[in-house]
Amino acid sequence: MARSIVGTWHITEMSMWNKEYFNMEVQAFVAVPSNGLGTFQFGLVQGCMDGTFDTAEHNFHFSWEGTDEMDECEGEGWIALDSEMAEDTAHGELSFESGDSSTFKAKRAD
């Protein structure tokens, strides 16, 4: 059976922001539904994603629109399963259009 990136992922680490910031309003997450129209939130940033799945690579690439402290923003990103053996860990990157970019690590939510 093919592994899937579909599900909700709790962000556990970000290269650009510390845990106090990225979990300040809610536990930071990336939610990837099977239809490719997901959501995410970390810190004061929240967004809606529109993406595609690469089943061979077990990843999801997306563009997003949202807000950062109520200012409109957009960007792109991706999330991928970590390895052949671990279906409960992932890593990825979230980038702002012409701005910041951060890699992240995540764990599948229960």
Side-chain angles (χ1 to χ4, degrees), residues 5 9 57-60 78-83 89-92 104:
I5 196 71
W9 298 87
E57 296 295 323
H58 306 293
N59 61 30
F60 177 67
W78 57 272
I79 183 171
L81 294 175
D82 272 341
S83 71
T89 59
H91 63 283
F104 66 88

Side-chain angles (χ1 to χ4, degrees), residues 40-90:
F40 71 87
Q41 182 170 348
F42 67 89
L44 300 175
V45 179
Q46 55 187 341
C48 295
M49 306 179 301
D50 184 359
T52 58
F53 295 93
D54 181 340
T55 53
E57 296 295 323
H58 306 293
N59 61 30
F60 177 67
H61 291 267
F62 57 90
S63 59
W64 63 270
E65 294 181 349
T67 59
D68 179 5
E69 295 189 54
M70 302 306 291
D71 292 328
E72 291 184 13
C73 55
E74 59 186 21
E76 60 185 13
W78 57 272
I79 183 171
L81 294 175
D82 272 341
S83 71
E84 293 282 329
M85 301 304 291
E87 292 187 23
D88 65 340
T89 59

